[in-house]
Amino acid sequence: MRSVEEASNAMALDGIIFEGAPVKVRRPSDYNPSLAATLGPSQPNPNLNLAAVGLTPGSAGGLEGPDRIFVGGLPYYFTEAQIRELLESFGPLRGFDLVKDRETGNSKGYAFCVYQDLSVTDIACAALNGIKMGDKTLTVRRANQGTTQPKPEQESILLHAQQQIAMQRLMLQPGALATKVICLTHVVTADELKDDEDYEDILEDMRTECGKFVFVVPHSATQIQPP
């Protein structure tokens, strides 16, 4: 390629359907993302429009490469939507593939994904790996690294994520310090809170719905803030 930017843009061709067949585009085996980032953009330009030149992204496009994540130990009854919701807690996905049995169409209990923001790859792996889901335990790691140790430049990211997970587990353990306050997220949008009357209606609806499950202290402080 004539430039670092053009080489990175070419990675957008990974997974496209060309003349009925999927195309695979790879970096060289000795490609170092950290060093490459100092020379120019390492990701395709988000404004690229493949459809404008007649190219169609594949359903599992972008699911190859060093940032592909293996997610194993999934309960067989989990749907694609439920698994996506879990994974997208860390950001939108560029590609996702739940592996299914060809004859029955049932989940085989493992999947692969790639995040749009590759910087969250190791954070998601550290946060999700080892989590108990029913009688299953998740195994989440980079697909091409097996059980090898993380690279030195990843250690600080992993350490921070592991510290956060350890704190979450501590707070969720029986006997942990509890409060009388709950926080509901992803309930409303900013536009829904602009009108004062709508705000009061939503507030009353939330008090009513919460009251169906727990006792809400009368006249307690309740606030709804834009996301």
Side-chain angles (χ1 to χ4, degrees):
M1 296 295 180
R2 292 171 296 184
S3 68
V4 173
E5 182 177 10
E6 286 189 358
S8 295
N9 286 342
M11 295 305 298
L13 300 176
D14 184 29
I16 66 166
I17 305 302
F18 181 70
E19 294 189 354
V23 175
K24 293 184 178 181
V25 181
R26 302 287 183 274
R27 295 284 194 179
S29 59
D30 59 350
Y31 176 73
N32 187 317
S34 299
L35 293 178
T38 64
L39 303 176
S42 58
Q43 298 300 314
N45 189 313
N47 296 321
L48 289 178
N49 186 359
L50 297 179
V53 291
L55 298 176
T56 305
S59 60
L63 272 177
E64 298 293 337
D67 296 291
R68 183 174 68 148
I69 297 176
F70 168 80
V71 185
L74 292 167
Y76 297 115
Y77 52 82
F78 263 37
T79 65
E80 289 192 35
Q82 290 173 321
I83 299 170
R84 275 183 169 274
E85 182 179 0
L86 173 67
L87 296 173
E88 289 179 342
S89 300
F90 300 90
L93 298 175
R94 189 178 75 193
F96 172 79
D97 180 31
L98 176 62
V99 180
K100 299 179 180 179
D101 184 278
R102 291 184 178 181
E103 295 183 357
T104 65
N106 295 330
S107 167
K108 286 191 172 184
Y110 64 95
F112 297 92
C113 73
V114 175
Y115 285 95
Q116 289 185 15
D117 181 0
L118 301 181
S119 67
V120 306
T121 299
D122 293 309
I123 296 175
C125 289
L128 294 172
N129 188 54
I131 287 181
K132 295 285 186 181
M133 302 194 73
D135 59 346
K136 297 282 188 178
T137 301
L138 291 186
T139 298
V140 185
R141 55 174 169 75
R142 286 177 180 264
N144 65 344
Q145 288 186 349
T147 57
T148 58
Q149 296 299 314
K151 298 177 181 179
E153 61 266 26
Q154 301 168 356
E155 290 181 352
S156 61
I157 297 176
L158 287 173
L159 178 60
H160 176 72
Q162 289 165 350
Q163 290 173 341
Q164 295 298 314
I165 297 303
M167 182 63 69
Q168 292 175 12
R169 288 176 175 172
L170 177 63
M171 295 301 295
L172 293 175
Q173 286 178 352
L177 180 63
T179 73
K180 296 181 179 180
V181 179
I182 62 172
C183 176
L184 306 179
T185 61
H186 304 293
V187 177
V188 295
T189 64
D191 290 338
E192 293 174 323
L193 302 179
K194 291 181 178 179
D195 185 273
D196 289 342
E197 291 186 3
D198 289 343
Y199 177 93
E200 293 298 331
D201 289 340
I202 294 173
L203 186 60
E204 184 59 31
D205 288 343
M206 292 179 66
R207 284 180 173 274
T208 301
E209 291 302 316
C210 289
K212 294 178 180 179
F213 303 94
V214 295
F215 175 73
V216 180
V217 178
H219 310 297
S220 59
T222 305
Q223 288 186 326
I224 306 177
Q225 298 180 348

